[in-house]
Amino acid sequence: MLTSAQPTSTTALLTEAAARRGLATAVLDGPATVGHLAGRPVHWYGGPLAAARIAAPLGLALLEPDDDWLARLPHEFTRRRIELTTLADAWTLRHPAFVKPPADKSIPPAVYPDGSRLPRTGDRIGPDTPVLVSEPVTFAAEYRLFVLDGEVRTGSRYARFGRLDPAPLTADATAFARRLLDALGDTLPGAVALDVGPIADPYDPVEHWAVVEANLPWFAHCYAADPERVLDVVLRAAGPAADLAEADRCFVRRPPAG
């Protein structure tokens, strides 16, 4: 298993879990690392920028949800208006909106007062950069569930009212995720990190659960989830293209244009 040179607590946990299984581990220090590993079966845990450089020479298949997956969900699973558009279109917004890229962090995910506050063009973004524009809501809690072949393998709470607060996974979070996966599981890769939570609405006493987003397992923190089971999902989500399941071929991350 190859990991990014930027260490995180999840990197350490997954590296330890891989070593316990007898998997060799390595850190991406530079081109020499890629050359040394070329021709060997490799799995990846790290960011999408580095992944874009190493995927082809290492024969990696990196799974990711469709950019418009969240926007296509029925309202019963989102509880808010969401659309996939471009950064250029988002610049014209004249009202507050939550804006984020579908997968990476090239634009800081946040509620922006209007489109004028969004970043302009730069090294990693341009007018055609895809973004999800959502009606702002407040999640009372947010949970990350690691899913393999439609089954929740592990997960944890990671935030309360937008503040980091890891805690064990709850039955309610698992039940909502299972309902979503039973209805729409075939619209997701076989390995995915799914974020869900109850929306806080002072005018509605009923607790409504909704999808926050779907994430890349190979670039997702595990928080209080079981690292061994997180590793199961990561290995499937970012591994040798030769081992790719037929159903996952349509979810392989494409190389960046140019």
Side-chain angles (χ1 to χ4, degrees), residues 9-37:
S9 57
T10 298
T11 303
L13 290 170
L14 295 182
T15 299
E16 292 168 2
R20 286 193 292 270
R21 296 189 188 191
L23 289 174
T25 62
V27 176
L28 181 61
D29 290 328
T33 306
V34 177
H36 176 69
L37 295 176

Side-chain angles (χ1 to χ4, degrees), residues 236-251:
R236 171 75 170 276
D243 296 341
L244 191 65
E246 186 62 35
D248 281 334
R249 292 190 182 280
C250 61
F251 297 109

Side-chain angles (χ1 to χ4, degrees), residues 104-218:
D104 62 34
K105 308 298 182 185
S106 56
I107 298 170
V111 174
Y112 292 87
D114 57 60
S116 69
R117 306 297 182 89
L118 283 161
R120 312 312 280 185
T121 55
D123 292 340
R124 297 173 56 190
I125 60 172
D128 294 332
T129 300
V131 292
L132 289 165
V133 177
S134 306
E135 175 186 3
V137 296
T138 298
F139 283 92
E142 295 169 70
Y143 296 83
R144 174 159 297 161
L145 301 97
F146 289 86
V147 178
L148 190 61
D149 291 327
E151 176 190 351
V152 176
R153 298 302 298 270
T154 186
S156 80
R157 187 179 77 198
Y158 63 89
R160 293 183 72 250
F161 291 97
R163 294 181 179 273
L164 185 64
D165 189 11
L169 190 61
T170 66
D172 285 345
T174 303
F176 174 76
R178 284 175 175 161
R179 182 162 68 88
L180 170 73
L181 292 166
D182 286 345
L184 299 160
D186 60 352
T187 64
L188 287 168
V192 69
L194 184 63
D195 293 357
V196 305
I199 292 177
D201 185 345
Y203 303 104
D204 188 347
V206 178
E207 185 176 72
H208 294 292
W209 282 74
V211 177
V212 179
E213 61 182 349
N215 280 301
L216 313 170
W218 44 271

